[in-house]
Amino acid sequence: MADTDIKGLKVAILVTDGFEQVELVEPRKALDAAGAETAIVAPKRGQVRGWNFTDWGDEQPVDMTLADARPEDFDALLLPGGVINPDQLRTQPEAVAFVAAFVEDDKPIASICHGPWTLIEAGAVDGRRMTSWPSLATDLANAGAEWVDEQVVVDGNLVTSRKPDDIPAFNRQMIALFGRAGTSQGAAPQGP
């Protein structure tokens, strides 16, 4: 189906230490299997360490530092959750600016669990219908969003989901959204 063709689509995955492991690994697997080109973007070089539900999890290699990443080189953005990860990212001006650039350019964004915290800081939730981990409901409402307790919510170029149990539905809607954007925007320009 044309609206789910993401072959060659460049997707930035913005994380730092403490991302919920399954919320990075499973969506990335789905994106890669569908033909997207994914890159882990992080504030530091080397590795970022996941959180595996109740304890530290596996490390993932950083493909590009936040300082070196250019939003214009990507077609879409994935914001995994975990409590630690977005809580740290939302306090880093470079991370907030990176997310805000996707918002300003109307590029598709997929965010799960606590990931919307970074969207709040980027000024991206006012007037949006969205979901998240339930503890973010008040934060999102205070920032102008309509929070709903649903497995996955698509509002324009934004797809949100609540928790790891929702990942299969999240992945389907993320790929569909990214595919629609890829066919309407074309691939990101190639750098020198």
Side-chain angles (χ1 to χ4, degrees), residues 3-22:
D3 70 345
T4 59
D5 181 12
I6 63 169
K7 187 169 176 50
L9 197 81
K10 294 177 179 17
V11 180
I13 305 171
L14 179 61
V15 294
T16 193
D17 290 323
F19 61 88
E20 187 63 53
Q21 186 168 301
V22 70

Side-chain angles (χ1 to χ4, degrees), residues 68-148:
D68 294 333
R70 298 178 344 155
E72 61 268 22
D73 292 337
F74 295 97
D75 302 302
L77 176 64
L78 171 61
L79 296 171
V83 176
I84 301 167
N85 168 57
D87 195 45
Q88 291 298 312
L89 290 174
R90 69 183 175 154
T91 66
Q92 298 181 27
E94 301 83 7
V96 174
F98 187 78
V99 173
F102 283 83
V103 175
E104 291 164 14
D105 290 343
D106 203 31
K107 292 182 180 182
I109 299 172
S111 184
I112 187 168
C113 191
H114 288 78
W117 264 341
T118 313
L119 291 170
I120 291 170
E121 289 300 319
V125 305
D126 189 24
R128 297 291 195 135
R129 184 175 184 273
M130 55 196 304
T131 194
S132 67
W133 186 257
S135 66
L136 274 67
T138 300
D139 295 340
L140 287 164
N142 287 342
E146 175 193 351
W147 186 86
V148 294

